[in-house]
Amino acid sequence: LRSPSAPIAVRASTAAAQRTMGTVVREVPGRGRCLFAAADHEKDERVLTESPVFLSDPDAEPEILALLERLHAAEPFGLGLPMLIDGVCRHVKAHYAAVLSYLNASQAAYSVLTERWMPQQEKRIGLDEVERVVAALKVQLPPSDDADRVPEGRAQEELTPVILQRLIMAWEFNGFSGYDNSLLMYDRYSTASHSCDPNCASIVLMGLFKKKPAGKPCAASFENEVQAAGTMKKGDVFEQRYAGLALQARREMKCGEEITFNYCLTAEDMAQDFQHRRSQLNLRGWKFQCDCSRCVLEIRELLTGGKAFPTGEVEEEHVGKGEMLGLFEDM
């Protein structure tokens, strides 16, 4: 995910700094859960500010990550050709994030994960693949270990192929690439749709945190990171790290308007026609056909030679996110 401007530095002082009240999530037929403005917004106004609900850190469980890499090398995981992120296959990272979130996610974060949008007919992450992973994990994590490690307040459920399959799909289709090869899960931010004429710009937020000792994993929850930042004392060493994402209005917005932003297209891409933009979205891992208002208008102009269609002759089709491969690469 590329920021349209330089990252903004913020101090990670309180989780209450998140701003979500100006937005609401609604179900849209054929498209799943989408983000809408819950109030009018002025141009350049901050519409949403959010920190991740869960962080998948490769340093947290290196043995599990190594096991998943071996399984993938022996028989590649589903969802097509692997896309490498800092040398690690994206599909391996999604499987790892699923296992880590099962083991470490709070009840609130776990609820967000299990409510994420995913294709209803997705068959590329089959139960046979997930059963293979679960069987290997049960050797690595004895039955007495995995259930005992589930955070307090969460139901003590056994890791089954069905549960892991749902978590993997949640990460594949909704996860964000973060720093140090991590994956991040957001609550509302991940429901915002792409548009080639977006009403919001995406901004990367940086925060000041206690410096992570060498070899020690980050906290799985940004809430824990923020609490740690609030207990800084003289002599502590600070470091600037990724703290979250924000959406800022590019123009005036009305209450009820769907919130959109540009997922990954460059300024050069945005200057091209809908065919180029769609191809670039697909090349960068977003397997859906954009049907935003700008693309629809350009298609109409192409088909009619610039003449408008008579009213009612063309019905706008919402293709939705059926084939989207949800990771935000190139942040």
Side-chain angles (χ1 to χ4, degrees):
L1 176 66
R2 296 189 184 279
S3 168
S5 58
I8 295 178
V10 296
R11 185 177 186 275
S13 56
T14 171
Q18 297 193 111
R19 177 175 182 173
T20 61
M21 296 303 293
T23 63
V24 62
V25 178
R26 297 175 185 161
E27 288 285 343
V28 177
R31 298 175 57 208
R33 302 168 76 244
C34 298
L35 193 64
F36 293 83
D40 293 345
H41 294 283
E42 300 292 331
K43 181 182 178 182
D44 296 327
E45 182 180 347
R46 192 66 59 83
V47 176
L48 173 70
T49 301
E50 192 172 24
S51 294
V53 297
F54 191 83
L55 162 68
S56 173
D57 183 1
D59 293 334
E61 296 283 353
E63 293 182 358
I64 293 178
L65 179 58
L67 170 65
L68 293 170
E69 288 178 325
R70 291 195 299 271
L71 291 173
H72 177 66
E75 185 176 343
F77 296 146
L79 283 179
L81 295 174
M83 296 180 65
L84 297 182
I85 308 173
D86 296 332
V88 179
C89 172
R90 186 197 61 214
H91 305 320
V92 171
K93 292 178 67 172
H95 282 62
Y96 172 75
V99 176
L100 198 64
S101 51
Y102 164 79
L103 293 173
N104 297 331
S106 66
Q107 181 57 54
Y110 194 76
S111 296
V112 168
L113 282 159
T114 55
E115 292 172 357
R116 293 302 84 182
W117 177 91
M118 58 194 70
Q120 295 299 315
Q121 303 299 323
E122 179 55 61
K123 298 179 180 179
R124 289 171 294 178
I125 305 176
L127 277 178
D128 54 344
E129 171 185 314
V130 183
E131 287 169 354
R132 179 166 62 100
V133 174
V134 170
L137 285 170
K138 288 190 178 298
V139 175
Q140 184 108 358
L141 291 173
S144 59
D145 286 356
D146 60 354
D148 292 344
R149 290 178 54 178
V150 172
E152 185 177 352
R154 261 197 38 215
Q156 301 292 310
E157 58 183 357
E158 182 183 359
L159 180 61
T160 65
V162 173
I163 290 174
L164 184 60
Q165 182 187 45
R166 182 168 184 82
L167 290 172
I168 291 171
M169 291 179 69
W171 282 101
E172 283 279 11
F173 290 92
N174 300 275
F176 291 67
S177 292
Y179 60 88
D180 293 340
N181 232 347
S182 63
L183 285 184
L184 309 166
M185 182 61 66
Y186 284 85
D187 184 5
R188 297 199 176 193
Y189 202 97
S190 66
T191 63
S193 298
H194 167 82
S195 174
C196 298
D197 184 25
N199 52 24
C200 286
S202 178
I203 298 173
V204 175
L205 304 176
M206 304 299 289
L208 294 178
F209 296 87
K210 285 185 177 180
K211 186 174 179 61
K212 182 179 71 169
K216 183 177 180 181
C218 292
S221 167
F222 257 65
E223 182 178 356
N224 294 339
E225 293 267 20
V226 169
Q227 290 174 351
T231 61
M232 291 178 178
K233 59 184 181 296
K234 186 176 180 180
D236 285 339
V237 180
F238 297 82
E239 65 179 358
Q240 189 179 61
R241 292 208 306 269
Y242 178 99
L245 295 168
L247 289 173
Q248 183 171 302
R250 298 178 64 241
R251 52 181 178 263
E252 288 187 0
M253 297 174 57
K254 296 296 183 182
C255 180
E257 184 176 347
E258 183 175 1
I259 295 172
T260 60
F261 69 102
N262 168 23
Y263 279 6
C264 62
L265 298 178
T266 65
E268 291 77 12
D269 294 329
M270 294 291 272
Q272 302 297 318
D273 63 15
F274 73 94
Q275 294 170 313
H276 174 87
R277 298 195 303 272
R278 285 179 171 181
S279 67
Q280 290 304 306
L281 282 167
N282 278 256
L283 285 171
R284 294 168 191 170
W286 295 95
K287 303 300 184 184
F288 67 96
Q289 180 172 285
C290 181
D291 66 335
C292 69
S293 58
R294 180 182 173 190
C295 287
V296 169
L297 178 61
E298 290 179 12
I299 293 170
R300 287 176 174 173
E301 290 178 343
L302 177 66
L303 294 176
T304 62
K307 297 178 181 179
F309 279 107
T311 302
E313 188 169 320
V314 173
E315 181 178 346
E316 185 172 328
E317 178 184 0
H318 289 283
V319 177
K321 305 177 182 177
E323 293 296 318
M324 189 169 70
L325 292 185
L327 294 184
F328 280 59
E329 321 290 355
D330 303 326
M331 186 183 71

